[in-house]
Amino acid sequence: MMDGRQRETPPPHPHFTLGSIAVLGVALASIAAAIGITALAITASRNSVDDGIVAEKVAAALADGEAPADAGNLRTDVVPDLVPKSELPLAPESEVNVSAAPDAPRPLGRSAPAIVDVHFRVVEQVQAIDPAEGVTYETWGYEVEGSGPDGLIAGTPGPMIRTRVGDVLRFTITNPETNSHPHNVDFHAVTGQGGGAAATTVAPGETVTIEARMLYPGFFMYHCAYGDVPLHISHGMFGGILVEPAEPLPGVDHEWYVVQSEYYTTPPEPGTVGTDRDALTMEEPTYVVFNGAVGAIAGDHALQMAVGERARIYFVNAGLNLVSSFHPIGSHWDAVYPEAALLGPPLRGSQTTLVPAGGGTVVELIGRVPSTIILVDHALTRAFDKGALGQIVVSGPEDPEIFEVVGSGEEQGSETTGAPASSEVVDIVPGAWETQPEGAADEFAETEDPADYSVNVLRIPVGTTVTWTNSDSMLHTVTAVDGSFDSGFLDEGDSWSHTFTEPGEYEYYCLPHLWMRAKVIVEG
């Protein structure tokens, strides 16, 4: 029933019209997006300049014998054309392909590839890793038949191998049945599964052989990669392999092989120490050393060269954890081949070169003046506290145009007067290791504070023997600035003597504590 009022009919709703517009908008947006994506794909598929221009520039560069800086896939391959293995001769019998540190095998002198036959034997032995302290450790390493003690060479580090790019390395490894652990070799120079590790795995009593092509020139690490790989490397299973480029590096007067590595031991004390596996994981080494032991290339084992000579060092950082900052105190790297890559030109005049764990470098230096060049990892607590320290003794004439002492400050030391004495004693005093600035004003004064030696300036006649006694609790050396004498490391209570037969002024210092300086003046 109507209430007397006429019900109004509502006006038409605009829903259908707005829905149509929305659908049309979405469709247009989809079409625009498709067009944009297509345009982007076309743009991304083309170079920013015309292909014809690029092709012309590439052709011109190749015609000039120079590869363009960025030629896409048109890059010169550094891998040489390979001579089939069936056509390769064995390396000449006169060729030396392995050597024990610190010696490097002499340059090969070949202009064509060959098959290089190398046979390693795994050695598990106890050896001194800190001879001055009487600390020994069970090392695992590699050795080969040769001219070393007992007809063997190497151990830790393993032998240095020398090959040429394009060579085939015929490598045999034997694990004597007297050993306790399986081992293998991962060659960073080898292209193949695991660098050959799986194929060279040998249990005690087994022998295997592989053949691997040397594709890239450089100086490469090798190491054991069996089982607990960090443990095997930390026990000393590492070494270096050189692959000479087709155009050999220029000749030098000396070539040396140096490997930096780390030991993770229980607290060091005289006798055989064990492995601290937790310290290994935490990257906290007890020792950081060159060539397997503290002092391996220092003191009586220091490397030797003469003024005017050039020396090349093939260096591997076996790690296994720390990066090395390889530095020559008192000299420069005249040439550095970063990462031991030998195809490019070297850097010139470097102070410190960075070598990653598992990497290498090739460096050269020149003997400019008589001195003892100190090789260190410039993370210096590793050098002075943990052993990463070596020496190169440079002998020969002085050159005042390069280095000259023109003033030595106050000289108030004890003097030997009256009748000539046949001997004198100098004490390295307790607390001498305490740090002080190098070249302090009172360095040669009798009142030096803190004191280093009981006599800072000793005057003696020719023919006098001077004996130094280490009365300090730390290791010290007595090392001549001109390289004419060196005591090696002296433990607390040790003594060392030197007889002075020529007049002159002989300044000396302590190798681990460079601020400890004194002098002997020898009068004719």
Side-chain angles (χ1 to χ4, degrees):
M1 175 181 289
M2 301 293 292
D3 59 0
R5 291 175 297 179
Q6 186 175 357
R7 186 183 299 274
E8 294 182 357
T9 302
H13 293 282
H15 294 168
F16 176 79
T17 303
L18 290 176
S20 301
I21 294 173
V23 170
L24 180 61
V26 170
L28 290 174
S30 299
I31 294 171
I35 293 172
I37 292 171
T38 303
L40 287 173
I42 294 173
T43 302
S45 68
R46 298 186 58 83
N47 294 324
S48 59
V49 295
D50 188 83
D51 285 343
I53 296 175
V54 172
E56 290 176 6
K57 290 184 176 294
V58 170
L62 293 176
D64 292 338
E66 179 181 342
D70 185 6
N73 292 325
L74 300 177
R75 298 181 186 274
T76 301
D77 195 344
V78 299
V79 175
D81 294 333
L82 303 182
V83 177
K85 288 198 293 185
S86 61
E87 299 177 14
L88 289 178
L90 287 173
E93 290 186 5
S94 60
E95 186 170 293
V96 178
N97 298 106
V98 291
S99 65
D103 297 323
R106 62 177 179 264
L108 302 180
R110 277 193 282 114
S111 58
I115 295 175
V116 174
D117 201 348
V118 173
H119 189 155
F120 273 15
R121 181 164 63 189
V122 176
V123 57
E124 298 176 358
Q125 63 184 354
V126 173
Q127 71 174 47
I129 61 173
D130 189 352
E133 294 295 320
V135 179
T136 58
Y137 183 64
E138 182 183 355
T139 61
W140 307 337
Y142 307 100
E143 59 189 10
V144 300
E145 295 182 0
S147 58
D150 303 321
L152 303 172
I153 59 175
T156 299
M160 176 176 165
I161 303 174
R162 192 166 194 150
T163 66
R164 180 189 182 277
V165 67
D167 282 356
V168 168
L169 175 65
R170 179 180 292 159
F171 177 73
T172 301
I173 181 169
T174 295
N175 192 357
E177 61 182 8
T178 53
N179 283 345
S180 302
H181 308 277
H183 301 285
N184 61 26
V185 185
D186 169 0
F187 288 98
H188 291 190
V190 166
T191 300
Q193 183 62 49
T200 58
T201 297
V202 280
E206 293 183 340
T207 296
V208 299
T209 300
I210 63 169
E211 291 185 348
R213 186 79 70 157
M214 302 292 98
L215 298 182
Y216 289 88
F219 189 52
F220 301 91
M221 180 184 174
Y222 66 78
H223 60 88
C224 184
Y226 179 82
D228 186 346
V229 178
L231 184 66
H232 281 246
I233 295 175
S234 69
H235 269 279
M237 302 198 77
F238 45 74
I241 176 171
L242 173 64
V243 182
E244 289 185 352
E247 182 67 32
L249 298 182
V252 294
D253 300 291
H254 302 276
E255 289 190 321
W256 296 312
Y257 167 43
V258 177
V259 181
Q260 178 172 325
S261 63
E262 303 145 22
Y263 289 118
Y264 297 81
T265 74
T266 53
E269 56 186 15
T272 301
V273 294
T275 300
D276 185 336
R277 191 59 179 80
D278 290 337
L280 182 57
T281 300
M282 297 301 292
E283 303 183 6
E284 298 174 348
T286 316
Y287 295 96
V288 182
V289 299
F290 295 144
N291 287 357
V294 177
I297 52 172
D300 293 341
H301 307 290
L303 308 174
Q304 305 284 331
M305 67 186 299
V307 168
E309 290 184 332
R310 177 182 287 269
R312 177 178 295 140
I313 299 176
Y314 296 101
F315 181 86
V316 159
N317 178 18
L320 75 153
N321 289 319
L322 306 180
V323 172
S324 174
S325 302
F326 194 36
H327 172 75
I329 297 176
S331 188
H332 305 79
W333 300 130
D334 182 78
V336 176
Y337 294 87
E339 299 189 21
L342 301 180
L343 288 175
L347 301 175
R348 302 299 304 275
S350 168
Q351 60 182 321
T352 302
T353 189
L354 201 63
V355 188
T361 189
V362 178
V363 293
E364 297 177 10
L365 52 74
I366 299 171
R368 302 285 188 183
V369 294
S371 62
T372 298
I373 299 169
I374 306 167
L375 303 176
V376 296
D377 181 336
H378 211 284
L380 288 176
T381 55
R382 302 174 191 172
F384 295 146
D385 297 346
K386 299 188 176 184
L389 186 149
Q391 294 173 301
I392 302 175
V393 176
V394 183
S395 58
E398 300 278 357
D399 187 346
E401 296 296 331
I402 294 178
F403 184 83
E404 181 182 19
V405 178
V406 295
S408 57
E410 190 176 6
E411 296 186 358
Q412 298 179 359
S414 301
E415 299 183 3
T416 301
T417 58
S422 60
S423 64
E424 292 284 350
V425 175
V426 176
D427 273 341
I428 302 173
V429 302
W433 62 270
E434 294 182 20
T435 306
Q436 58 181 296
E438 291 184 42
D442 64 350
E443 188 61 54
F444 299 99
E446 185 178 5
T447 55
E448 180 188 12
D449 184 24
D452 303 324
Y453 306 94
S454 60
V455 182
N456 271 343
V457 178
L458 177 65
R459 294 182 182 272
I460 59 173
V462 168
T464 300
T465 297
V466 179
T467 299
W468 285 266
T469 298
N470 183 10
S471 299
D472 193 19
S473 60
M474 299 289 287
L475 285 175
H476 293 291
T477 72
V478 179
T479 303
V481 170
D482 66 2
S484 59
F485 57 84
D486 183 15
S487 66
F489 288 101
L490 301 175
D491 202 352
E492 183 177 8
D494 289 348
S495 296
W496 179 79
S497 300
H498 179 73
T499 301
F500 291 86
T501 59
E502 297 290 338
E505 185 172 297
Y506 300 88
E507 185 176 337
Y508 61 91
Y509 62 98
C510 172
L511 188 57
H513 311 100
L514 300 178
W515 55 87
M516 292 175 55
R517 305 182 80 87
K519 65 178 63 176
V520 176
I521 300 175
V522 183
E523 299 169 334

